[in-house]
Structures are given as structure tokens and as C-alpha cells.
């Protein structure tokens, strides 16, 4: 179960980062949501959550910046 939990968290993080990259390319929350199978509200929440994590974690911020 712990392996699955970690895998789920990794997938969730990847989805958050994908949403951020899509947003940076000019896609709307609705467009991103349709692309990743989530609601616009869920996209908004995941982007806010990711931004908080990026503010707290320089390492994560560097990793994300390396993707752009």
C-alpha cells in the first residue's frame, strides 16, 4: 500500500507540473482540465497547491524550471 501511495503522489505531482506548464503556454483552466481529465476548479486548486510547494522548496522549483 505504501508503494501505491507513493506512486499516486508522484502521478499527482506530475499532473500538477503538467498543468503549470500548460498554463505557462497560455491554456485556460478549462482547457487544461479537459486535457488532463479534471475540472477547471480542480486545476485551479492544484496550481495553487503547487505554487505553495514551489515557494517552500527551492529544489522542486529548480526541477520545474529545468523543464521550461
Amino acid at each position: 500500500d505504501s508503494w501505491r501511495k507513493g506512486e499516486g503522489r508522484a502521478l499527482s505531482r506530475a499532473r500538477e507540473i503538467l498543468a503549470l506548464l500548460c498554463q505557462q503556454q497560455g491554456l485556460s483552466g478549462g482547457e487544461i482540465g479537459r486535457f488532463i481529465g479534471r475540472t477547471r476548479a480542480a486545476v485551479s486548486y492544484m496550481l495553487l497547491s503547487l505554487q505553495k510547494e514551489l515557494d517552500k522548496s527551492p529544489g522542486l522549483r529548480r526541477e520545474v524550471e529545468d523543464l521550461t
Side-chain angles (χ1 to χ4, degrees), residues 29-50:
E31 290 169 326
I32 297 167
R34 284 189 295 279
F35 183 63
I36 64 173
R38 296 292 185 268
T39 65
R40 182 206 50 80
V43 169
S44 178
Y45 178 79
M46 79 173 59
L47 289 170
L48 286 172
S49 175
L50 178 60

Side-chain angles (χ1 to χ4, degrees), residues 12-68:
S12 177
R13 174 57 49 90
R15 192 179 293 119
E16 291 170 351
I17 292 171
L18 177 60
L20 178 64
L21 296 174
C22 288
Q23 182 187 53
Q24 290 174 349
Q25 293 301 311
L27 274 70
S28 71
E31 290 169 326
I32 297 167
R34 284 189 295 279
F35 183 63
I36 64 173
R38 296 292 185 268
T39 65
R40 182 206 50 80
V43 169
S44 178
Y45 178 79
M46 79 173 59
L47 289 170
L48 286 172
S49 175
L50 178 60
Q51 189 58 56
K52 288 178 185 176
E53 290 295 317
L54 292 171
D55 291 344
K56 289 191 293 187
S57 173
L60 177 60
R61 187 176 30 232
R62 274 191 303 278
E63 287 181 40
V64 171
E65 287 170 356
D66 286 347
L67 295 173
T68 59

